[in-house]
Amino acid sequence: MSEKILQTLGALRDYSLEKGYEISLYYHEEDSYLMRFANSAISLNTNEHLIRLEVTAYEGSKRASYAMITDLAKLDDMKKGIDIANEMAKHAMPLTYQTTVPTYENTFIDVSNFDPDLSTISNEEKLALFNQVVSGLETDEIKLSGIFSCGANTVAAISTRSEHSILMKTSDAQVTIVLSHNRLKWEVQAEQSAQQKSDLDPAALRAELTALLHHYTHDSPQQLPLGRYNIVFGPAAIADMLNFTRYIAFNGGLMKRGYSFLNEENIDQKVFSNQFSFFDDPERRETFPFRRDIYGIERKRFALVENGVFKAFAWYQDDADEFGQQPTGHTVPHHSLCMAGGSQPVNSLGELLNLPRETDILYIPFLHYMNIVNPSKGILTGSSRFGALLLKQDGTVVVPYNVRLTQSLLDIFGDRLSWIAQEILPYNTSLSYGARNPTSIIVPRFMQVNDLEISHSNSSY
Amino acid sequence: MLNQIKQQIERLRARGATYVDTRWYPYEETNSLLMWNGNLKDASSSSESGVGVRVLYKGAWGFSASSDLSDISALFDKAFDNARIAAERVTFPVRLAEKETIEAKFESPLRINPFEIPLTEKIAFLQEMDKRLDQPGVTQRVCSLNFTRKQIIFVDSEGSQIEKIITEAFADLEVNGLDSEGGMHERKFKPPRRGESRGWENIDLQYFSQNAERIVRELNDTLQAEQCPVDDRAVILLPGIMYLQTHETIGHPLELDRILGYELAFAGGSFVTLDDFSKLRYGSEKLTVRADATLPNSPGSFGFDDDGIPAQDNLLIDKGILVGAITGRQMVEEANAKARRTIFNGSSGANRATSFYRVPIERMTNINIDAGQDGTLEDIIRNTERGIVLDGDRSWSIGSNREQFHFGTEAGWLVEDGQITRPVKNATYKGSTVAFWNSLTAVGNQSTWEVCYVDNCGKGQPNQIMQLGHGVPVCRFDNVRIGE
């Protein structure tokens, strides 16, 4: 199949050269499967096979693009798309800078992250995994929700600048299992990200759910008083906050436009906690990495923060062109974000619950609907969800109603950061708006931040 | 193609499917232009076509979609197989509310097809807007045009056949600037829907020019302003933020699939329960809300939903009491059965998919608040002792059951003794949903009512982005926490 893709792209390149066009082609193919559960039933079982081709045409400093959903047999339609893009480019407006046309210096094919056993896992196997995880945990009032999303994703690119091309293929799965009380409206959740079939671990999912369920079914819920808390965040919350940090801190183009809470003077300065190190590392297969960006730049481990020192902005090609910077190989559908683990030997929920504590600790595994309140100050807001616990100083555990945090990322990853767990794991952050783009962020299992203010406390879940 | 689809539907019915429908998109086209600080950063178009097949078998759904129509029977078989495995885990077998068999055609109203406007003319519009936004205090200028046009042919196993041709035109302006402390502020213009149509005729140069000047002026006022105080005050929400308040804390909580727990794996639930219908005082007596898919000029109007149900105008909240929900054929049957009473008399026609390769789910249509009797904006300000006027969405975050919220706004003006005194920056407000709507003490008259659109409402797995509308007046809520 990979050969057919490259042959087709080659034929389209030949067509473009014959017509005297300057173009680049970006190919995306997905084979997506999603089994969705709700109210303890399979509420939807779906699959889509889609091929997208995006043509970008260049004429001097003018640029235009045309995208289509197509299939490999429709060569004439694709050629028409190339013609349309070129016609648009003629009538477009010159940019005030010279835009870069991708140039691939050698052909790069990477299918090492593709596991056919995972991408074609059967409907029966998916259902069996869910049944195994929640066996005996559902009741008339506690219902199963969740997804098993899996598939194969192929991206490829070529341009008229060289005969070489790139192609990268990966398999992925995201498993989310939720148990919720249909009257009380609490929810607990366990999740897993897989790049190959052997990554799936139903026993771990079950252990996580069982531990949370124990507290949610036995303990009375409490509305927490407003005030300051020492908070342990779980993988989902950490991944969400890191994603926002990537967006409003480390993006060079956004910094130049004023959307970042960091600036060029912060480079090589200590901005965060000594404990905080954060990388873009395409060597981590769990992140569904791109080892070339779509301009052909080889991607290597890229330090954003090392021991609290801000190291560099990430520059997308177009921003680098506009602002006269060196591109850093970050023009990819997603980055391979990795936060380094720490020294705290707390690597499971059970160990966290048993950790001796000098104060109450609020455990927030998941932050719902986070958004940016003030990008210049790195202030975010979001609410707890999916299994928060208040670990009392006296060793007991209380189930809290959900709370809202409104806080600066400079505090969360700064001096208020108390400890980071040793263990790191991939947390799947894939969204399926538009083209499939499997994404994971490697995060520590837990991270404690002290003295954070709860700005709203619910009187119900 | 249509005959092939009908033959396949019959074939699956013969295999035991209780219901089958297809949405064939012969075309869906987009055209997008984005100018940022005078650079035409994006000039793009797209096209797609394909078929989505939905099969109900033994009370469970299967869905499959493809753009490759060379083997249409395999596509239908895949959808059937997906339903067959889903039928192995059923707790409440899907039943569909009754509907009439319909053969119909709907075309969204427009006078000028935006796809027939030359690219050069569109670019000229953006250049003119960019020029007007290029003023002192403005560091970032963003002007965008987005157009979509699609043909959808719906066919189901109950004999319905509906063709829809829907065209939308969206144009936005945005300016950003930095205050003396380096804080970024923004001001947008997303034009309210005027007139009766949805085409290029709404991209009115003079109207946009006036508003370009206004948002620059208001941005500069914000840049010079003091920080919004932390305080408890009356908030007066203009349509530019009132639409979002309505969207997030009335629209989403009243989607019946959320209420029934179908979004708990991702988007979240709703604090509303089936017991609440006809009982819950959602808001004060001044609050009347309807889901009106019959407005001609809004993207929340589409003729027929993707269950083949005609557009309707239904009450959701009547003088503060919860009376209705946003529903499709499946959920009303399940809700009535679970409630052991008839809450819903049939689907409200709100089941929609964002493309041929996504399955229909409950989506907002136009969730509108009736205009009130409390006069103009000036009247409401005059009758407010201590308040703040807020406009423009800057950030929004809502609890997982939509029970509480935190919104950041672009612009705020303090009100003292019935008069606007000064602008403030970084104005935010927060609250608990039901308490907030019950603190509604003034609803502006028709002069304050505007139809705002949402072009990026996300929901579902696989995720879907939907377009819809909100017709809202200026509203005042008492004793709200601001500035946090």
Side-chain angles (χ1 to χ4, degrees), chain B residues 133-287:
Chain B
L133 296 177
D134 190 7
Q135 305 292 336
V138 177
T139 57
Q140 303 297 323
R141 323 179 293 278
V142 185
C143 314
S144 65
L145 292 170
N146 290 285
F147 308 103
T148 64
R149 185 167 174 82
K150 58 190 170 188
Q151 181 188 17
I152 306 169
I153 298 174
F154 171 88
V155 182
D156 72 15
S157 57
E158 296 173 351
S160 288
Q161 182 175 324
I162 298 166
E163 180 185 359
K164 296 188 282 189
I165 297 175
I166 296 175
T167 307
E168 303 289 354
F170 302 105
D172 298 344
L173 307 177
E174 179 176 343
V175 285
N176 291 259
L178 294 169
D179 64 22
S180 58
E181 297 162 340
M184 170 65 81
H185 299 273
E186 67 184 41
R187 195 76 178 103
K188 295 189 288 290
F189 174 57
K190 296 180 73 171
R193 292 301 175 109
R194 307 185 304 169
E196 298 289 307
S197 61
R198 289 145 80 166
W200 174 259
E201 62 276 10
N202 288 306
I203 315 292
D204 178 318
L205 188 65
Q206 190 183 358
Y207 181 52
F208 273 77
S209 297
Q210 289 165 355
N211 281 285
E213 287 166 17
R214 176 180 61 81
I215 62 174
V216 168
R217 187 174 63 247
E218 291 178 355
L219 174 71
N220 275 304
D221 288 347
T222 301
L223 296 180
Q224 304 300 321
E226 293 173 14
Q227 180 73 15
C228 177
V230 178
D231 200 357
D232 295 319
R233 282 177 174 249
V235 296
I236 299 167
L237 302 186
L238 304 190
I241 185 68
M242 188 64 206
Y243 89 95
L244 191 63
Q245 184 70 48
T246 307
H247 181 89
E248 302 290 3
T249 63
I250 291 181
H252 279 307
L254 296 188
E255 293 160 342
L256 192 52
D257 55 348
R258 273 183 195 265
I259 293 170
L260 290 172
Y262 280 89
E263 286 293 329
L264 289 180
F266 178 62
S270 172
F271 64 89
V272 173
T273 69
L274 295 176
D275 287 343
D276 290 333
F277 288 92
S278 302
K279 295 178 194 166
L280 175 68
R281 175 156 286 288
Y282 205 108
S284 76
E285 288 196 356
K286 290 179 180 285
L287 181 66

Side-chain angles (χ1 to χ4, degrees), chain A residues 5 23 88 111 133-134 169 296 316 344-345 352 425 446-447:
Chain A
I5 294 167
I23 60 133
M88 287 174 66
V111 294
V133 172
V134 300
K169 184 172 186 177
Y316 289 82
Q344 187 78 359
L352 177 68
L425 74 167
F446 302 109
M447 173 179 97

